[in-house]
Amino acid sequence: MPKAFLIDTTRCTACRGCQVACKEWKNLPAVPTKQTGTHQNPPDLNPFNLKLVRFSEHMVDNKVAWYFFPDQCRHCLEAPCKQASSVEGAIIQDAATGAVIYTEKTAQEDFDVIRGACPYDIPRQNPQTKQIVKCDMCIDRVKANLLPMCVKTCAMGAMNFGERADMLKLAAERLAVVKKTAPKARLLNPDDVAVIFLVADEPKKYHEFAVAEGPGAMTRKQVLAGAFAPFRRLARAMQG
Amino acid sequence: MQDSGQPAVEAQRILDEAARYADQTPALESLFAAFGPVLAERARLRAEAPGWRGELPTVDAERFSQGVFVLADSGFQDVSPELPAAAVRLLPVMERAFPALAEELAALGRALAEGGLEPELLTRAAFSEAPVSVPGVSRDTLRFAASELVKPFIERQARDIIGLVTELPWRRGMCPVCGGAPNFSLLRKVRDESEFIQAHGGQRLMHCSVCSSQWRCKRVSCPACGNENPEELFNLRVEGRPFERADICRACKTYVLCLDTVEFVDIPDADVAALAMLPLDLLVRKEGYAPLAGHPWSPGI
Ligand code: SF4
Ligand code: SF4
């Protein structure tokens, strides 16, 4: 049965427990970080940080409000990165769970194409091995009936995991509650992804690539299929 | 237990879980191969069973709080009329699962089909209320088959009843529905809708050996004698199985199996999970402790 996450950002306190737990479970090395003027640390996803709690501050009613966004691969139901793949067996989707998995064959892919295809800007490349990496849903754990590390670690109930149908139900319930105080609250691409975010405000305020949104004329599929990639790459280039 | 209520889904879930456990513990593969299909067929029968017929019993909250379980006066409704049809489905599965008993099980099936055995007697055999004898069937096999046949119908009735008391306090070691003893327990994560930190330890639930109802129980206490002295309560585990333990009481020398599901994606079927804990069962018995209630595969039960 397909699995899904509900990431309820309204319950996240940015403790970074999930980020650290992920790194530890995957045995990923430390990375040098730089001070970017925010509390986000490291500044972006990288080959050794597959999960990143993004921070951004906004003025709301004359007060500084912090927005937290525990970013990670969305395990898209029809993964654009997989559609863009040209190497057999490099990007696979586990039938039982729906997890989108990158194998060592991703080293033969064109990294820019794969990263450009992802509407959420998730894939990163290991400079030594050239492998492309991202969250794998802790597939080793899930196959053993254990929760992904990030979900196991979260003490606030922000990270939830289970059957897709159950998560959609929980998402709808939480959305109804949050909407009472935050009318702009919404779920991000719930029909397209297995990692569903609940946000209380404009998605862009959380993170530039929080949500996949296409111009009205295009079908979502066309957008997701990479028609958007050049813009995405441009946006990244401008970010530096 | 999470339950879809759909017979095929329920059965498949059990087979999948049995396969996963068998993968993890190759030593138990043949046990899972035998019991998996039996538990799956039982789940199918349970999902299709009629449940409690007519008006639900009334619960006297006062008496209940004093420890009088719901069915203390009436017991379960008679399931005998269901047994002949259930036998046609379950006995052949059991025959394949336990080739050494196949002949006896077939004889039992014939006796039921041909009127040589009244279904009411089979029900009584399940509850060991009366000595029943069927030619060509040993007493143990009769009792085993009878309780396997009766169980899905009892479980289905209990599901209708437990809802009557889920909001009432009950912190006893016996089942609030039928008074049965637990043969399994689990720790379960609770999603707390308050904005406070989620409890990581989880709730402790007992699982009834008779009707499979589950009820909350104090975390540090012996369900058999009520002992709460932490010095006398301890647990044993088997190496490499971090989520499984036996909760043991030194005072009354009993134990109950406990599965910590706090980190689990799905809570497994209680019987499948308990079957995987057989090596632990054996270890704890060797240490001189007795289970509060057994399973069909338990040694000496
Ligand atoms: S699911 Fe596992 S790999 Fe993915 S972000 Fe969470 S902990 Fe890391
Ligand atoms: S989020 Fe990006 S990397 Fe993850 S499956 Fe979707 S397209 Fe692929």
Side-chain angles (χ1 to χ4, degrees), chain B residues 245-298:
Chain B
R245 61 179 211 217
D247 288 336
I248 306 174
C249 175
R250 270 199 195 98
C252 70
K253 295 232 154 241
T254 63
Y255 72 92
V256 62
L257 297 173
C258 178
L259 182 70
D260 183 351
T261 72
V262 170
E263 264 188 53
F264 285 11
V265 180
D266 296 311
I267 298 183
D269 176 80
D271 286 324
V272 175
L275 184 51
M277 291 159 87
L278 183 59
L280 176 62
D281 248 329
L282 297 172
L283 174 88
V284 186
R285 279 163 189 250
K286 249 199 245 143
E287 299 285 319
Y289 299 95
L292 291 185
H295 288 92
W297 51 83
S298 305

Coordinates of all heavy atoms in Angstrom, one line a residue, chain B residues 245-298:
Chain B
R245 N 9.8 -7.7 24.1 CA 10.2 -8.1 25.4 C 9.2 -8.8 26.2 O 8.0 -8.9 25.8 CB 10.6 -6.8 26.2 CG 9.4 -5.9 26.4 CD 9.8 -4.6 27.1 NE 8.6 -4.2 27.9 CZ 8.3 -2.9 28.0 NH1 9.1 -2.0 27.6 NH2 7.2 -2.6 28.7
A246 N 9.6 -9.5 27.3 CA 8.6 -10.1 28.2 C 8.6 -9.2 29.4 O 9.7 -9.0 30.0 CB 9.0 -11.5 28.5
D247 N 7.4 -8.8 29.8 CA 7.3 -8.0 31.1 C 7.0 -9.0 32.2 O 6.0 -9.7 32.2 CB 6.2 -7.0 31.0 CG 6.5 -5.9 30.1 OD1 7.7 -5.6 29.9 OD2 5.6 -5.2 29.6
I248 N 8.0 -9.1 33.1 CA 8.0 -10.2 34.1 C 7.7 -9.6 35.5 O 8.3 -8.6 35.9 CB 9.3 -10.9 34.1 CG1 9.6 -11.4 32.6 CG2 9.3 -12.1 35.0 CD1 10.9 -12.0 32.4
C249 N 7.0 -10.4 36.3 CA 6.8 -10.0 37.7 C 7.4 -11.1 38.6 O 7.1 -12.3 38.5 CB 5.3 -9.9 38.0 SG 4.9 -9.6 39.8
R250 N 8.4 -10.7 39.4 CA 9.0 -11.6 40.3 C 8.1 -12.1 41.4 O 8.2 -13.2 41.9 CB 10.3 -11.0 41.0 CG 11.5 -11.1 40.2 CD 12.8 -10.9 41.1 NE 13.9 -10.7 40.1 CZ 14.3 -9.6 39.7 NH1 13.9 -8.4 40.3 NH2 15.3 -9.5 38.8
A251 N 7.2 -11.2 41.8 CA 6.3 -11.5 42.9 C 5.4 -12.7 42.6 O 5.3 -13.6 43.4 CB 5.5 -10.3 43.3
C252 N 4.7 -12.7 41.5 CA 3.8 -13.8 41.2 C 4.3 -14.7 40.1 O 3.6 -15.6 39.7 CB 2.4 -13.2 40.8 SG 2.3 -12.4 39.2
K253 N 5.5 -14.4 39.6 CA 6.2 -15.4 38.7 C 5.5 -15.5 37.4 O 5.5 -16.6 36.8 CB 6.4 -16.7 39.3 CG 7.4 -16.7 40.5 CD 8.4 -17.8 40.3 CE 9.7 -17.4 41.1 NZ 10.9 -17.3 40.2
T254 N 4.9 -14.4 36.9 CA 4.2 -14.5 35.6 C 4.8 -13.5 34.7 O 5.6 -12.6 35.1 CB 2.7 -14.2 35.7 OG1 2.6 -12.9 36.2 CG2 2.0 -15.1 36.7
Y255 N 4.5 -13.6 33.4 CA 4.9 -12.6 32.4 C 3.9 -12.5 31.3 O 3.0 -13.3 31.2 CB 6.3 -13.1 31.8 CG 6.2 -14.2 30.8 CD1 6.0 -14.0 29.4 CD2 6.3 -15.5 31.2 CE1 5.9 -15.1 28.5 CE2 6.2 -16.6 30.3 CZ 6.0 -16.4 29.0 OH 5.9 -17.4 28.1
V256 N 4.0 -11.3 30.6 CA 3.2 -11.1 29.5 C 4.1 -10.5 28.4 O 5.0 -9.7 28.6 CB 2.0 -10.2 29.8 CG1 2.4 -8.8 30.2 CG2 1.1 -10.1 28.6
L257 N 3.9 -11.0 27.2 CA 4.7 -10.6 26.0 C 4.4 -9.1 25.7 O 3.2 -8.7 25.9 CB 4.5 -11.4 24.8 CG 4.8 -12.9 24.9 CD1 4.4 -13.6 23.6 CD2 6.3 -13.1 25.0
C258 N 5.4 -8.3 25.4 CA 5.1 -6.9 25.1 C 5.8 -6.5 23.8 O 7.0 -6.7 23.7 CB 5.5 -6.0 26.2 SG 5.2 -4.3 25.9
L259 N 5.1 -5.9 22.9 CA 5.7 -5.4 21.7 C 5.7 -3.8 21.7 O 4.6 -3.3 21.8 CB 4.9 -5.9 20.4 CG 5.4 -5.5 19.1 CD1 6.7 -6.2 18.8 CD2 4.4 -5.8 18.0
D260 N 6.8 -3.2 21.5 CA 6.9 -1.8 21.5 C 6.7 -1.3 20.1 O 7.6 -1.5 19.2 CB 8.3 -1.3 22.0 CG 8.4 0.2 22.1 OD1 7.5 0.9 21.6 OD2 9.4 0.7 22.7
T261 N 5.6 -0.8 19.8 CA 5.2 -0.4 18.4 C 5.4 1.1 18.1 O 5.0 1.6 17.1 CB 3.8 -0.7 18.0 OG1 2.9 0.1 18.7 CG2 3.5 -2.2 18.3
V262 N 6.0 1.8 19.1 CA 6.1 3.3 19.0 C 6.8 3.7 17.7 O 6.4 4.7 17.2 CB 6.8 3.8 20.3 CG1 7.1 5.3 20.1 CG2 5.8 3.6 21.5
E263 N 7.8 2.9 17.3 CA 8.5 3.3 16.1 C 8.0 2.7 14.8 O 8.6 2.8 13.8 CB 10.0 2.8 16.2 CG 10.9 3.8 16.7 CD 12.4 3.3 16.7 OE1 12.8 2.9 15.6 OE2 13.0 3.4 17.7
F264 N 6.9 1.9 15.0 CA 6.4 1.2 13.8 C 5.5 2.0 12.9 O 4.8 2.9 13.3 CB 5.5 0.0 14.3 CG 6.4 -1.2 14.9 CD1 7.7 -1.0 15.1 CD2 5.8 -2.4 15.1 CE1 8.5 -2.1 15.7 CE2 6.5 -3.4 15.6 CZ 7.8 -3.3 15.9
V265 N 5.6 1.6 11.6 CA 4.7 2.2 10.6 C 3.3 1.7 10.9 O 2.3 2.4 11.0 CB 5.1 1.9 9.2 CG1 4.1 2.6 8.2 CG2 6.5 2.4 9.0
D266 N 3.1 0.4 10.9 CA 1.8 -0.3 11.1 C 1.9 -1.1 12.4 O 3.0 -1.8 12.6 CB 1.5 -1.2 9.9 CG 1.3 -0.4 8.7 OD1 0.6 0.6 8.7 OD2 1.9 -0.8 7.6
I267 N 0.8 -1.2 13.1 CA 0.8 -2.1 14.2 C 0.4 -3.5 13.7 O -0.6 -3.7 13.1 CB -0.2 -1.6 15.3 CG1 0.2 -0.2 15.8 CG2 -0.3 -2.6 16.4 CD1 -0.7 0.3 16.9
P268 N 1.3 -4.5 13.9 CA 1.0 -5.8 13.3 C -0.1 -6.5 14.1 O -0.4 -6.1 15.2 CB 2.3 -6.5 13.5 CG 3.1 -5.8 14.6 CD 2.6 -4.4 14.6
D269 N -0.7 -7.5 13.4 CA -1.7 -8.3 14.1 C -1.0 -9.0 15.3 O 0.1 -9.4 15.3 CB -2.0 -9.4 13.1 CG -3.0 -10.4 13.7 OD1 -4.2 -10.1 13.7 OD2 -2.5 -11.5 14.1
A270 N -1.8 -9.0 16.4 CA -1.3 -9.4 17.7 C -0.8 -10.8 17.7 O 0.2 -11.2 18.3 CB -2.3 -9.2 18.8
D271 N -1.5 -11.7 16.9 CA -1.1 -13.1 16.9 C 0.2 -13.3 16.1 O 1.0 -14.1 16.4 CB -2.2 -14.0 16.4 CG -3.4 -14.1 17.4 OD1 -3.0 -14.2 18.6 OD2 -4.5 -14.2 17.0
V272 N 0.2 -12.6 14.9 CA 1.4 -12.7 14.1 C 2.6 -12.2 14.9 O 3.7 -12.9 15.0 CB 1.3 -11.9 12.8 CG1 2.6 -11.9 12.0 CG2 0.1 -12.4 12.0
A273 N 2.5 -11.1 15.6 CA 3.6 -10.5 16.4 C 4.0 -11.5 17.5 O 5.2 -11.7 17.8 CB 3.2 -9.2 16.9
A274 N 3.0 -12.1 18.1 CA 3.3 -13.0 19.3 C 4.0 -14.2 18.8 O 4.9 -14.8 19.5 CB 2.0 -13.3 20.0
L275 N 3.6 -14.7 17.6 CA 4.3 -15.9 17.0 C 5.8 -15.6 16.8 O 6.6 -16.5 17.1 CB 3.6 -16.2 15.7 CG 4.0 -17.5 15.0 CD1 4.0 -18.7 15.9 CD2 3.1 -17.8 13.8
A276 N 6.1 -14.4 16.4 CA 7.5 -14.1 16.2 C 8.3 -14.1 17.5 O 9.5 -14.1 17.5 CB 7.6 -12.7 15.5
M277 N 7.5 -14.0 18.6 CA 8.2 -13.9 19.9 C 8.3 -15.2 20.6 O 8.7 -15.3 21.8 CB 7.4 -12.9 20.8 CG 7.6 -11.5 20.3 SD 6.3 -10.3 20.9 CE 6.9 -9.8 22.4
L278 N 8.1 -16.3 19.9 CA 8.2 -17.6 20.5 C 9.5 -17.9 21.1 O 9.6 -18.5 22.2 CB 7.8 -18.7 19.4 CG 7.8 -20.1 19.9 CD1 6.8 -20.3 21.0 CD2 7.5 -21.1 18.8
P279 N 10.7 -17.6 20.5 CA 11.9 -17.8 21.1 C 12.0 -17.1 22.5 O 12.6 -17.7 23.5 CB 13.0 -17.2 20.2 CG 12.3 -17.3 18.8 CD 10.8 -17.0 19.1
L280 N 11.4 -15.9 22.6 CA 11.4 -15.2 23.9 C 10.6 -15.9 24.9 O 10.9 -16.1 26.0 CB 10.9 -13.8 23.6 CG 10.7 -12.9 24.8 CD1 12.1 -12.6 25.5 CD2 10.2 -11.5 24.4
D281 N 9.4 -16.4 24.4 CA 8.5 -17.2 25.3 C 9.2 -18.3 25.9 O 9.2 -18.6 27.1 CB 7.4 -17.8 24.4 CG 6.0 -17.3 24.6 OD1 5.8 -16.9 25.8 OD2 5.2 -17.2 23.7
L282 N 10.0 -19.1 25.1 CA 10.7 -20.2 25.6 C 11.7 -19.9 26.6 O 11.9 -20.5 27.6 CB 11.3 -21.0 24.4 CG 10.3 -21.5 23.4 CD1 11.1 -22.1 22.1 CD2 9.5 -22.7 24.0
L283 N 12.4 -18.8 26.3 CA 13.5 -18.3 27.2 C 12.9 -18.0 28.6 O 13.5 -18.4 29.6 CB 14.2 -17.1 26.6 CG 15.2 -16.4 27.5 CD1 16.6 -17.0 27.2 CD2 15.3 -14.9 27.1
V284 N 11.8 -17.3 28.6 CA 11.3 -16.8 29.8 C 10.7 -18.0 30.6 O 10.8 -18.0 31.9 CB 10.2 -15.7 29.6 CG1 9.7 -15.2 30.9 CG2 10.7 -14.6 28.7
R285 N 10.1 -18.9 29.9 CA 9.6 -20.1 30.6 C 10.8 -20.9 31.3 O 10.7 -21.4 32.4 CB 8.9 -21.0 29.7 CG 7.5 -20.6 29.4 CD 7.0 -21.3 28.2 NE 5.7 -20.7 27.8 CZ 4.6 -21.4 27.9 NH1 4.6 -22.6 28.3 NH2 3.5 -20.8 27.5
K286 N 11.9 -21.0 30.5 CA 13.1 -21.6 31.1 C 13.5 -21.0 32.4 O 14.1 -21.6 33.3 CB 14.2 -21.7 30.1 CG 14.5 -23.0 29.5 CD 15.9 -23.1 28.9 CE 15.7 -23.4 27.4 NZ 16.7 -22.8 26.6
E287 N 13.3 -19.7 32.5 CA 13.7 -19.0 33.7 C 12.7 -19.2 34.8 O 12.9 -18.7 35.9 CB 13.8 -17.5 33.4 CG 14.8 -17.1 32.3 CD 16.2 -17.1 32.9 OE1 16.5 -16.7 34.0 OE2 17.1 -17.6 32.1
G288 N 11.7 -19.9 34.5 CA 10.7 -20.3 35.6 C 9.5 -19.4 35.7 O 8.8 -19.4 36.7
Y289 N 9.2 -18.7 34.7 CA 8.0 -17.8 34.7 C 6.9 -18.4 33.8 O 7.2 -19.0 32.8 CB 8.3 -16.4 34.3 CG 9.4 -15.8 35.2 CD1 10.7 -15.8 34.9 CD2 9.0 -15.2 36.4 CE1 11.7 -15.3 35.7 CE2 10.0 -14.7 37.3 CZ 11.3 -14.7 36.9 OH 12.2 -14.2 37.8
A290 N 5.7 -18.1 34.2 CA 4.5 -18.7 33.4 C 3.8 -17.5 32.8 O 3.6 -16.5 33.3 CB 3.6 -19.4 34.4
P291 N 3.3 -17.8 31.5 CA 2.5 -16.7 30.9 C 1.1 -16.6 31.5 O 0.6 -17.6 32.0 CB 2.4 -17.2 29.4 CG 2.5 -18.7 29.6 CD 3.4 -19.0 30.7
L292 N 0.5 -15.4 31.5 CA -0.8 -15.3 32.0 C -1.8 -16.1 31.2 O -2.8 -16.6 31.7 CB -1.2 -13.8 32.0 CG -0.5 -12.9 32.9 CD1 -1.0 -11.5 32.9 CD2 -0.6 -13.5 34.3
A293 N -1.6 -16.2 29.9 CA -2.4 -17.0 29.0 C -1.5 -17.3 27.8 O -0.6 -16.5 27.5 CB -3.6 -16.2 28.6
G294 N -1.8 -18.4 27.2 CA -0.9 -18.9 26.1 C -1.5 -18.6 24.7 O -2.6 -17.9 24.5
H295 N -0.8 -19.2 23.7 CA -1.3 -19.1 22.3 C -1.4 -20.6 21.9 O -0.8 -21.5 22.5 CB -0.2 -18.4 21.5 CG -0.2 -16.9 21.7 ND1 0.6 -16.3 22.6 CD2 -1.0 -15.9 21.1 CE1 0.4 -15.0 22.6 NE2 -0.5 -14.8 21.7
P296 N -2.0 -20.8 20.8 CA -2.1 -22.2 20.3 C -0.7 -22.9 20.1 O -0.6 -24.1 20.2 CB -2.9 -22.2 19.0 CG -3.4 -20.8 18.9 CD -2.8 -19.9 19.9
W297 N 0.3 -22.1 19.8 CA 1.6 -22.6 19.6 C 2.4 -22.6 20.9 O 3.6 -23.1 20.8 CB 2.4 -21.8 18.5 CG 2.3 -20.3 18.8 CD1 3.2 -19.6 19.7 CD2 1.4 -19.4 18.3 NE1 2.8 -18.3 19.7 CE2 1.8 -18.1 18.9 CE3 0.3 -19.4 17.4 CZ2 1.1 -17.0 18.5 CZ3 -0.3 -18.3 17.1 CH2 0.0 -17.1 17.7
S298 N 1.9 -22.2 22.0 CA 2.7 -22.1 23.2 C 2.9 -23.5 23.7 O 2.1 -24.4 23.7 CB 1.9 -21.4 24.3 OG 1.5 -20.1 23.9

